[in-house]
Amino acid sequence: MTFRLIAGPCVIESRDLVLQVAERVSGLCQELGITYVFKASFDKANRSSGTSFRGPGPEEGLRILQEVREQLGIPVLTDIHESQQAAMAAEAVDVLQIPAFLCRQTDLLEAAARAVAGTDKVVNVKKGQFLAPWDMAQVVNKLRESGLEPESGRLWLTERGSSFGYNTLVVDFRGLPQMQALGCPVIFDATHAVQQPGGQGTSSGGQREFVAPLARAAVAVGADGLFMETHPDPSQALSDGPNMVPLHRLEALLRQLMALRAVVQDGLAVSTL
């Protein structure tokens, strides 16, 4: 099965930044045989503070994302937060992402399923920090009832960690095969898993030094892909800087992960418990 990487800046800060990141990561993925999906949000509706930068909004943001898609010939992913955003976003991007906080919002799930009906486009649902892996069965059922079958390969689930006390997340890697048993490809979000939600008061903190070990663990467990936010200068990023991977460090990490995946794939061919 092709390994996927969903990567890009947290939010659209500018057209130039988006194109710079997309072009660089696309080149890396072509070289390494990874299926690349560019990601960036046109609106971050769940920021810690009401004064935080949210993005350019749907009109300008979707125009930029469509330009990335057309200019570089790569699939593009973005979040939607409201049901009315689903149809217009589906015209510009290839993957509609349901944020973790909204993964149980029935109207939003149904709107996303309707927006991709009759196409080869995808819905990616992030597992809420408050849900057990098996609770995602009901999310999958809602989408199935709306016409999006898991067997189509067009419904992805993403693990991004679970709340562990205050301002902390922890990852139970048993959740990856448990969600794969629902019939969906499962992605591991290595950067939001090290986030410290609201950890800096008016913004979230993060521990990016743990992105690489958690990503290695996910590959070893058999994740179908990885989600990693990346930025040329995370210290200056307008959203999620503390947990993003510096763009110049991404190549070495991806090479390591693909080498590990090759070993894991060889091992799976000869070892079953």
Side-chain angles (χ1 to χ4, degrees):
M1 180 181 293
T2 302
F3 191 75
R4 300 179 181 90
L5 175 68
I6 300 170
C10 177
V11 66
I12 298 171
E13 299 180 16
S14 71
R15 171 186 175 276
D16 290 346
L17 175 73
V18 161
L19 286 168
Q20 175 191 354
V21 174
E23 186 171 12
R24 173 61 176 150
V25 182
S26 178
L28 286 175
C29 288
Q30 287 180 21
E31 184 179 347
L32 296 172
I34 301 171
T35 298
Y36 177 45
V37 180
F38 174 80
K39 72 82 48 185
S41 299
F42 60 79
D43 178 25
K44 299 298 293 184
N46 57 350
R47 298 302 308 274
S48 299
S49 168
T51 62
S52 297
F53 178 76
R54 290 181 52 165
E59 184 173 344
E60 181 183 355
L62 291 173
R63 179 185 58 76
I64 291 172
L65 292 173
Q66 191 163 19
E67 183 177 356
V68 171
R69 181 188 185 206
E70 294 173 353
Q71 184 168 318
L72 299 179
I74 56 176
V76 172
L77 171 152
T78 199
D79 304 282
I80 57 172
H81 295 86
E82 300 175 356
S83 300
Q84 60 266 32
Q85 294 177 343
M88 60 178 172
E91 293 182 5
V93 305
D94 304 276
V95 184
L96 300 181
Q97 180 165 275
I98 309 299
F101 285 115
L102 301 176
C103 69
R104 294 179 63 180
Q105 294 294 101
T106 302
D107 291 347
L108 184 60
L109 293 169
E110 291 176 347
R114 287 194 301 270
V116 303
T119 73
D120 58 358
K121 298 187 178 187
V122 173
V123 175
N124 180 41
V125 186
K126 287 196 165 185
K127 179 182 76 64
Q129 304 93 320
F130 44 85
L131 290 183
W134 46 88
D135 291 332
M136 291 298 285
Q138 301 310 317
V139 173
V140 171
N141 286 339
K142 289 179 182 180
L143 288 160
R144 178 186 285 113
E145 291 164 1
S146 299
L148 184 58
E149 294 287 344
E151 295 77 11
S152 68
R154 295 169 46 240
L155 171 53
W156 304 348
L157 305 178
T158 294
E159 170 62 69
R160 52 101 6 111
S162 300
S163 296
F164 188 71
Y166 301 122
N167 305 123
T168 305
L169 300 170
V170 67
V171 179
D172 179 356
F173 283 100
R174 295 174 298 178
L176 274 63
Q178 286 169 336
M179 288 195 290
Q180 285 170 331
L182 300 175
C184 303
V186 173
I187 312 297
F188 177 65
D189 184 342
T191 46
H192 286 100
V194 303
Q195 190 182 60
Q196 295 171 314
Q200 296 182 354
T202 58
S203 63
S204 292
Q207 297 175 302
R208 79 166 62 92
E209 66 268 26
F210 295 118
V211 169
L214 290 182
R216 290 194 296 265
V219 170
V221 168
D224 299 297
L226 291 172
F227 181 114
M228 287 192 282
E229 290 185 335
T230 184
H231 191 283
D233 185 359
S235 66
Q236 298 299 313
L238 299 180
S239 177
D240 277 4
N243 51 268
M244 281 202 278
V245 176
L247 186 59
H248 71 276
R249 295 186 178 176
L250 187 62
E251 179 177 0
L253 177 55
L254 290 179
R255 290 188 182 280
Q256 181 185 67
L257 293 171
M258 293 308 290
L260 175 59
R261 184 171 185 268
V263 173
V264 171
Q265 292 295 105
D266 287 345
L268 289 176
V270 297
S271 176
T272 304
L273 293 178

